[in-house]
Amino acid sequence: MKSKIYLSSPNMGGKEFEFVKEAFDTNWIAPLGPNVNGFEEDLQHYTGSAHAAALSAGTAALHLALILSDVKAGDHVLCSTFTFSASANPIVYQGAIPVFIESERDTWNASPVFLEKAIMDLIQKGKKPKAFILVHLYGMPAKIEEIKAICEKYQVVLIEDAAEALGSRYKGKHPGSLGEYGILSFNGNKIITTSGGGALLSNDKTKIEKARFLATQARDPAPHYQHSEIGYNYRMSNICAGIGRGQMLVLDRRVEQKRALYDWYKALLSATPGITFLPEPEGFLSNRWLTCILVDPALTQSISREDIRLAMEKENIESRPLWKPMHSQPVFRDAPYYGDHLSEKLFDQGLCLPSDTNIEEEEKNRIISVFRTLNLIR
Ligand SMILES: *Cc1c(COP(=O)(O)O)cnc(C)c1O
């Protein structure tokens, strides 16, 4: 069996272990310590967000963002429909009701038009939404300015899910640094990883202090254990943060590598009728976390994205359909939805190609062979 080619696997830069070793040498084997503080500073500096809290997962960061936005049982919370379920699950943790917003063609991210429509409709029904979880999918920034203006107009808290967009830029700014809150993920498949982890970003110092308090079991200042609020165990370990500090040193390099891989695929498939890519609008820079294509069988002599996926699988090459939208997921079947069903079409025709920054020339040749076998290239 040929070695497996992954969609997106961890890629260490080399310095990670030095930070981890220092944690061992100083016995900081805990969910706090110099690496946690150092990693938070790195994230603040890199994203331009004034404050950051390192947490156990991106999902934990979203959950805390909702709590800090005062989301309670029965509240309505808007969320991009075209995303991974982790964006929406924390809404349900709070007993709140998710309301899904369809994507627009330019960015595949939430449409400002459907967003405003949803807010106006919900207000009319006496169910004004408290917050909006805006996802920057596959690294492509959403139209943040337009969306922020709508959120401000109706006083809806903007939470940016930038889990897939570390290293991207929107008009020179980092996604996740422009809303009231931003969240990042360092899960094993993301552009950089801490093996598992996440972060909450905000320019509001008191909010991040509150997040750190809630993430460490909400202990009141007392010599004994005293609690006036329900807390969580959501802090990042000092070991994981050490990996994160090492990974930050190679983040810009990883963005370059991901973007170069996207360009390689684009050159490879640009002449193939029926295969299209998502271009960057003016002023948008995507980290191209995963290279995605749309495959229109009407133009590819009936080759579908599933045909490509299966042909790759046979060669031990991992590829995957785009995210199945949340409003079509069985678990969210009762959730309100505003849109024109674009993401269902993206799901039907879309495929994520192997986007590993570890990829080797020989592996690229194996990918070329698959496209050749299917007669998609010569
Ligand atoms: C990975 C991901 C998350 C969740 O992050 P975890 O660190 O895995 O909890 C949230 N939203 C999106 C869009 C993601 O891709």
Side-chain angles (χ1 to χ4, degrees):
M1 191 64 158
K2 286 180 192 144
S3 65
K4 180 153 181 173
I5 303 178
Y6 290 97
L7 210 56
S8 182
S9 72
N11 189 356
M12 295 297 109
K15 295 261 190 261
E16 292 81 2
F17 198 66
E18 287 176 29
F19 290 103
V20 172
K21 186 173 182 304
E22 190 184 295
F24 272 76
D25 290 345
T26 54
N27 205 30
W28 277 106
I29 317 287
L32 78 170
N35 281 335
V36 174
N37 301 340
F39 188 41
E40 288 177 345
E41 276 164 31
D42 291 347
L43 292 173
Q44 286 159 199
H45 184 249
Y46 190 88
T47 62
S49 190
H51 304 280
L55 301 168
S56 56
T59 311
L62 277 167
H63 190 194
L64 292 179
L66 292 175
I67 294 168
L68 293 168
S69 306
D70 196 37
V71 169
K72 298 208 169 78
D75 285 341
H76 287 71
V77 175
L78 308 162
C79 183
S80 303
T81 193
F82 194 36
T83 187
F84 175 44
S85 66
S87 305
N89 286 338
I91 301 170
V92 181
Y93 301 167
Q94 283 305 95
I97 300 155
V99 177
F100 293 114
I101 307 297
E102 188 51 273
S103 297
E104 43 135 29
R105 271 166 209 285
D106 299 4
T107 63
W108 294 357
N109 290 311
S111 146
V113 176
F114 291 127
L115 173 67
E116 187 158 25
K117 215 172 157 187
I119 296 175
M120 291 196 309
D121 188 53
L122 289 166
I123 288 175
Q124 212 187 8
K125 291 176 175 154
K127 300 172 180 171
K128 190 187 155 206
K130 276 225 174 117
F132 174 36
I133 298 174
L134 168 66
V135 183
H136 305 293
L137 209 64
Y138 300 117
M140 181 63 77
K143 289 187 181 156
I144 308 178
E145 261 172 22
E146 287 90 329
I147 285 168
K148 198 175 160 170
I150 295 167
C151 288
E152 278 170 1
K153 181 172 164 191
Y154 297 98
Q155 294 184 311
V156 173
V157 177
L158 178 59
I159 300 168
E160 291 178 76
D161 179 345
E164 300 178 3
L166 187 59
S168 300
R169 291 287 185 285
Y170 170 85
K171 300 186 181 175
K173 304 238 169 69
H174 200 286
S177 70
L178 295 146
E180 270 93 339
Y181 302 99
I183 79 106
L184 301 172
S185 168
F186 312 106
N187 196 35
N189 59 343
K190 299 296 180 345
I191 190 160
I192 62 165
T193 182
T194 60
S195 72
L200 180 67
L201 308 175
S202 177
N203 291 315
D204 186 337
K205 190 176 176 201
T206 59
K207 296 290 190 189
I208 292 296
E209 281 170 354
K210 182 79 194 266
R212 291 197 186 107
F213 165 79
L214 291 171
T216 45
Q217 308 287 21
R219 275 186 68 187
D220 294 341
H224 57 279
Y225 278 81
Q226 167 118 349
H227 307 275
S228 317
E229 274 181 76
I230 293 295
Y232 302 85
N233 184 2
Y234 278 174
R235 257 324 223 163
M236 180 180 277
S237 131
N238 196 54
I239 303 296
C240 295
I243 304 173
R245 287 177 90 182
Q247 287 271 276
M248 286 304 284
L249 300 173
V250 292
L251 174 53
D252 283 334
R253 175 87 191 104
R254 295 290 174 264
V255 175
E256 276 171 30
Q257 289 169 317
K258 292 274 192 190
R259 288 177 61 81
L261 200 52
Y262 172 90
D263 290 341
W264 178 78
Y265 278 117
K266 208 166 167 199
L268 185 72
L269 298 165
S270 62
T272 308
I275 294 191
T276 51
F277 293 77
L278 180 64
E280 284 165 331
E282 180 80 31
F284 288 54
L285 186 129
S286 169
N287 67 7
R288 299 294 186 189
W289 171 54
L290 298 181
T291 292
C292 306
I293 53 170
L294 295 180
V295 183
D296 182 355
L299 299 170
T300 56
Q301 293 173 329
S302 297
I303 301 284
S304 68
R305 68 110 155 106
E306 203 48 17
D307 294 324
I308 301 175
R309 193 186 70 76
L310 291 170
M312 294 230 178
E313 194 173 73
K314 248 188 171 163
E315 296 300 315
N316 208 19
I317 302 170
E318 186 179 29
S319 67
R320 196 168 297 159
L322 300 191
W323 299 119
K324 181 172 181 179
M326 291 305 112
H327 71 271
S328 336
Q329 296 285 357
V331 72
F332 294 123
R333 68 184 156 260
D334 297 329
Y337 160 80
Y338 292 84
D340 60 2
H341 302 273
L342 171 69
S343 58
E344 292 164 36
K345 190 176 161 218
L346 297 174
F347 171 65
D348 282 342
Q349 299 199 340
L351 190 68
C352 304
L353 299 173
S355 305
D356 210 331
T357 51
N358 286 317
I359 200 160
E360 287 167 16
E361 283 311 306
E362 174 264 330
E363 296 177 319
K364 284 183 174 175
N365 291 334
R366 282 169 57 196
I367 293 169
I368 293 175
S369 299
V370 173
F371 286 118
R372 266 203 198 117
T373 315
L374 293 168
N375 278 323
L376 290 168
I377 55 172
R378 251 179 281 165

Short mmCIF file of all heavy atoms in Angstrom, two decimals, residues 5-9 257-258 261 265 288-292 318 352-359:
data_model
loop_
_atom_site.label_atom_id
_atom_site.label_comp_id
_atom_site.label_asym_id
_atom_site.label_seq_id
_atom_site.Cartn_x
_atom_site.Cartn_y
_atom_site.Cartn_z
N ILE A 5 -1.70 10.08 1.71
CA ILE A 5 -1.59 11.52 1.51
C ILE A 5 -2.77 12.16 2.23
O ILE A 5 -3.92 11.85 1.94
CB ILE A 5 -1.58 11.90 0.02
CG1 ILE A 5 -0.44 11.18 -0.71
CG2 ILE A 5 -1.46 13.42 -0.15
CD1 ILE A 5 -0.39 11.44 -2.21
N TYR A 6 -2.48 13.03 3.18
CA TYR A 6 -3.53 13.59 4.04
C TYR A 6 -4.09 14.91 3.52
O TYR A 6 -3.44 15.64 2.78
CB TYR A 6 -2.97 13.81 5.45
CG TYR A 6 -2.70 12.53 6.20
CD1 TYR A 6 -1.42 11.98 6.23
CD2 TYR A 6 -3.73 11.86 6.86
CE1 TYR A 6 -1.16 10.80 6.91
CE2 TYR A 6 -3.49 10.68 7.54
CZ TYR A 6 -2.20 10.15 7.56
OH TYR A 6 -1.96 8.99 8.24
N LEU A 7 -5.29 15.19 3.99
CA LEU A 7 -5.95 16.47 3.69
C LEU A 7 -5.15 17.62 4.33
O LEU A 7 -4.86 18.61 3.68
CB LEU A 7 -7.36 16.42 4.29
CG LEU A 7 -8.47 17.20 3.63
CD1 LEU A 7 -8.62 16.82 2.17
CD2 LEU A 7 -9.78 16.95 4.37
N SER A 8 -4.83 17.47 5.61
CA SER A 8 -4.11 18.52 6.33
C SER A 8 -3.59 17.93 7.64
O SER A 8 -4.35 17.80 8.60
CB SER A 8 -5.05 19.70 6.62
OG SER A 8 -4.37 20.74 7.27
N SER A 9 -2.33 17.57 7.67
CA SER A 9 -1.78 16.93 8.87
C SER A 9 -0.83 17.88 9.59
O SER A 9 -0.37 18.87 9.02
CB SER A 9 -1.08 15.62 8.49
OG SER A 9 0.13 15.89 7.83
N GLN A 257 3.01 28.20 2.05
CA GLN A 257 2.97 26.84 1.49
C GLN A 257 1.56 26.46 1.06
O GLN A 257 1.37 25.87 0.00
CB GLN A 257 3.49 25.83 2.53
CG GLN A 257 4.98 25.93 2.77
CD GLN A 257 5.42 25.12 3.99
OE1 GLN A 257 4.76 25.13 5.03
NE2 GLN A 257 6.53 24.41 3.85
N LYS A 258 0.57 26.80 1.89
CA LYS A 258 -0.83 26.49 1.54
C LYS A 258 -1.23 27.24 0.28
O LYS A 258 -1.90 26.69 -0.59
CB LYS A 258 -1.76 26.91 2.68
CG LYS A 258 -1.62 26.10 3.97
CD LYS A 258 -2.47 24.84 3.94
CE LYS A 258 -2.55 24.21 5.32
NZ LYS A 258 -3.17 22.87 5.28
N LEU A 261 0.32 25.72 -2.79
CA LEU A 261 -0.34 24.48 -3.16
C LEU A 261 -1.64 24.78 -3.93
O LEU A 261 -1.95 24.13 -4.93
CB LEU A 261 -0.63 23.67 -1.89
CG LEU A 261 -0.87 22.17 -2.06
CD1 LEU A 261 0.24 21.49 -2.84
CD2 LEU A 261 -1.02 21.52 -0.68
N TYR A 265 -2.54 23.57 -7.76
CA TYR A 265 -3.78 22.93 -8.22
C TYR A 265 -4.46 23.75 -9.31
O TYR A 265 -4.99 23.22 -10.27
CB TYR A 265 -4.77 22.77 -7.05
CG TYR A 265 -4.54 21.57 -6.17
CD1 TYR A 265 -4.23 21.72 -4.82
CD2 TYR A 265 -4.69 20.28 -6.66
CE1 TYR A 265 -4.05 20.63 -3.99
CE2 TYR A 265 -4.51 19.17 -5.84
CZ TYR A 265 -4.19 19.35 -4.49
OH TYR A 265 -4.02 18.26 -3.68
N ARG A 288 -5.84 29.80 2.49
CA ARG A 288 -6.04 28.58 1.66
C ARG A 288 -5.77 27.34 2.49
O ARG A 288 -5.08 26.42 2.03
CB ARG A 288 -5.15 28.62 0.41
CG ARG A 288 -5.44 29.79 -0.51
CD ARG A 288 -6.79 29.72 -1.15
NE ARG A 288 -7.00 30.77 -2.16
CZ ARG A 288 -8.17 31.01 -2.72
NH1 ARG A 288 -9.24 30.32 -2.38
NH2 ARG A 288 -8.29 31.96 -3.62
N TRP A 289 -6.37 27.33 3.69
CA TRP A 289 -6.20 26.18 4.60
C TRP A 289 -6.42 24.86 3.86
O TRP A 289 -5.61 23.95 3.96
CB TRP A 289 -7.17 26.30 5.78
CG TRP A 289 -7.23 25.10 6.64
CD1 TRP A 289 -6.18 24.46 7.23
CD2 TRP A 289 -8.40 24.35 6.99
NE1 TRP A 289 -6.63 23.36 7.94
CE2 TRP A 289 -7.99 23.28 7.81
CE3 TRP A 289 -9.78 24.49 6.71
CZ2 TRP A 289 -8.88 22.35 8.34
CZ3 TRP A 289 -10.66 23.57 7.25
CH2 TRP A 289 -10.20 22.51 8.05
N LEU A 290 -7.54 24.77 3.14
CA LEU A 290 -7.75 23.62 2.25
C LEU A 290 -8.05 24.17 0.86
O LEU A 290 -8.81 25.13 0.72
CB LEU A 290 -8.94 22.77 2.71
CG LEU A 290 -8.85 22.11 4.10
CD1 LEU A 290 -10.10 21.29 4.38
CD2 LEU A 290 -7.60 21.23 4.22
N THR A 291 -7.45 23.56 -0.16
CA THR A 291 -7.81 23.91 -1.53
C THR A 291 -9.12 23.21 -1.87
O THR A 291 -9.23 21.99 -1.72
CB THR A 291 -6.72 23.48 -2.52
OG1 THR A 291 -5.54 24.27 -2.30
CG2 THR A 291 -7.17 23.67 -3.97
N CYS A 292 -10.11 24.01 -2.27
CA CYS A 292 -11.44 23.46 -2.59
C CYS A 292 -11.72 23.69 -4.07
O CYS A 292 -11.39 24.74 -4.62
CB CYS A 292 -12.52 24.18 -1.80
SG CYS A 292 -12.23 24.19 -0.03
N GLU A 318 -6.35 11.18 0.65
CA GLU A 318 -7.53 11.69 1.34
C GLU A 318 -8.06 12.95 0.67
O GLU A 318 -7.31 13.89 0.41
CB GLU A 318 -7.15 12.01 2.80
CG GLU A 318 -8.31 12.40 3.67
CD GLU A 318 -7.92 12.70 5.12
OE1 GLU A 318 -6.77 13.13 5.37
OE2 GLU A 318 -8.75 12.51 6.00
N CYS A 352 -12.71 19.06 -1.10
CA CYS A 352 -11.46 19.55 -0.52
C CYS A 352 -10.35 18.62 -0.96
O CYS A 352 -10.43 17.41 -0.73
CB CYS A 352 -11.50 19.56 1.00
SG CYS A 352 -12.85 20.49 1.70
N LEU A 353 -9.30 19.17 -1.56
CA LEU A 353 -8.19 18.37 -2.06
C LEU A 353 -7.08 18.29 -1.00
O LEU A 353 -7.00 19.15 -0.12
CB LEU A 353 -7.65 19.00 -3.35
CG LEU A 353 -8.67 19.07 -4.48
CD1 LEU A 353 -8.11 19.88 -5.66
CD2 LEU A 353 -9.07 17.67 -4.95
N PRO A 354 -6.21 17.28 -1.10
CA PRO A 354 -5.12 17.17 -0.13
C PRO A 354 -4.33 18.49 -0.08
O PRO A 354 -3.88 18.96 -1.12
CB PRO A 354 -4.25 16.04 -0.69
CG PRO A 354 -5.12 15.28 -1.62
CD PRO A 354 -6.17 16.23 -2.12
N SER A 355 -4.23 19.06 1.10
CA SER A 355 -3.64 20.40 1.25
C SER A 355 -2.59 20.40 2.33
O SER A 355 -2.48 21.34 3.13
CB SER A 355 -4.75 21.41 1.58
OG SER A 355 -5.77 21.36 0.62
N ASP A 356 -1.82 19.33 2.36
CA ASP A 356 -0.84 19.13 3.40
C ASP A 356 0.43 19.91 3.08
O ASP A 356 1.00 19.75 2.00
CB ASP A 356 -0.53 17.63 3.44
CG ASP A 356 -0.15 17.19 4.82
OD1 ASP A 356 0.40 18.02 5.56
OD2 ASP A 356 -0.39 16.02 5.14
N THR A 357 0.88 20.73 4.05
CA THR A 357 2.12 21.48 3.80
C THR A 357 3.35 20.56 3.83
O THR A 357 4.43 20.97 3.44
CB THR A 357 2.29 22.62 4.84
OG1 THR A 357 2.14 22.08 6.15
CG2 THR A 357 1.27 23.71 4.63
N ASN A 358 3.15 19.31 4.28
CA ASN A 358 4.22 18.30 4.24
C ASN A 358 4.36 17.63 2.87
O ASN A 358 5.23 16.79 2.70
CB ASN A 358 3.90 17.16 5.21
CG ASN A 358 4.08 17.55 6.66
OD1 ASN A 358 5.06 18.19 7.00
ND2 ASN A 358 3.13 17.17 7.49
N ILE A 359 3.49 17.95 1.93
CA ILE A 359 3.39 17.18 0.68
C ILE A 359 4.70 17.16 -0.10
O ILE A 359 5.45 18.16 -0.13
CB ILE A 359 2.22 17.72 -0.18
CG1 ILE A 359 1.78 16.67 -1.20
CG2 ILE A 359 2.58 19.03 -0.85
CD1 ILE A 359 0.38 16.89 -1.74
#
